[in-house]
Amino acid sequence: AYQYLINRKEPEPEPYDPGPEGWDETDRETFVAVWAERIDAYNEGWPLGGYGRIFAEAAYDYGVDPRWSPAIAWIESCSGTFCFRDHNAWGWGSVDWPDWESAIRDHVRGMAEGYGYTNSWEAAMKYCPGNEAYWYDHVAEEMLKIWPDDRL
């Protein structure tokens, strides 16, 4: 699952997959503007504060719930405050990133490719085996703090 991180290249994003109902009706610029503001408000005062646009762009490009990666970052590292590897706010593998932008884009892409669209029991069992119930519940709770659902 982490192989693409080890031999990381910067591929073009896959063609947009609309994800939840309504995304196909939302242009990228509107989606990014709305979600960037919400994610920035959620991360204000933390190391990942100010990266809402990057989270939102990546979520749109890879068809992932825009709340998911920021919520995981809160659970795993207090939004980048306590990282066990460089710019690794998600406790993900043994990966270092050179900056937050590439880290966010890689994490969102990895979630889309290996875990699905949004928080699920299956994703929790894969992401945090042995502690999946705690992880699932707390990620869901953090996602609700960003916005009650995945719609604009």
Side-chain angles (χ1 to χ4, degrees), residues 46-47 73-74 76-85 88-91 100:
W46 300 98
W74 176 259
E76 298 290 344
S77 70
C78 291
S79 294
T81 303
F82 304 105
C83 297
F84 84 112
R85 302 293 300 232
N88 188 334
W90 304 273
W100 285 123

Side-chain angles (χ1 to χ4, degrees), residues 16-20 23 31 35 38-39 55-72 107-109 111-112 115-120 139-140 142-144 146-152:
Y16 170 61
D17 179 6
W23 276 26
F31 179 95
W35 281 107
R38 292 172 180 172
I39 295 166
F55 278 110
E57 288 173 352
Y60 188 95
D61 292 345
Y62 296 108
V64 172
D65 186 325
R67 304 169 301 159
W68 201 16
S69 184
I72 294 169
H107 185 257
V108 173
R109 182 176 63 242
M111 296 308 289
Y115 297 86
Y117 160 74
T118 193
N119 195 29
S120 67
V139 169
E142 291 303 314
M143 289 172 72
L144 290 173
I146 297 169
W147 197 251
D149 58 39
D150 59 5
R151 293 175 291 204
L152 291 180

Side-chain angles (χ1 to χ4, degrees), residues 3-114:
Q3 187 61 38
Y4 78 94
L5 293 174
I6 295 167
N7 298 317
R8 193 166 70 240
K9 296 179 183 161
E10 294 301 325
E12 291 298 314
E14 294 295 317
Y16 170 61
D17 179 6
E21 249 180 71
W23 276 26
D24 56 346
E25 301 298 323
T26 305
D27 65 275
R28 186 177 192 271
E29 185 177 326
T30 301
F31 179 95
V32 169
V34 170
W35 281 107
E37 185 176 329
R38 292 172 180 172
I39 295 166
D40 279 339
Y42 173 74
N43 279 327
E44 186 176 359
W46 300 98
L48 287 172
Y51 289 93
R53 175 165 286 284
I54 305 304
F55 278 110
E57 288 173 352
Y60 188 95
D61 292 345
Y62 296 108
V64 172
D65 186 325
R67 304 169 301 159
W68 201 16
S69 184
I72 294 169
W74 176 259
I75 296 304
E76 298 290 344
S77 70
C78 291
S79 294
T81 303
F82 304 105
C83 297
F84 84 112
R85 302 293 300 232
D86 292 345
H87 298 99
N88 188 334
W90 304 273
W92 212 20
S94 57
V95 181
D96 290 312
W97 281 280
D99 54 57
W100 285 123
E101 184 172 337
S102 58
I104 292 165
R105 291 186 192 281
D106 280 354
H107 185 257
V108 173
R109 182 176 63 242
M111 296 308 289
E113 292 173 356

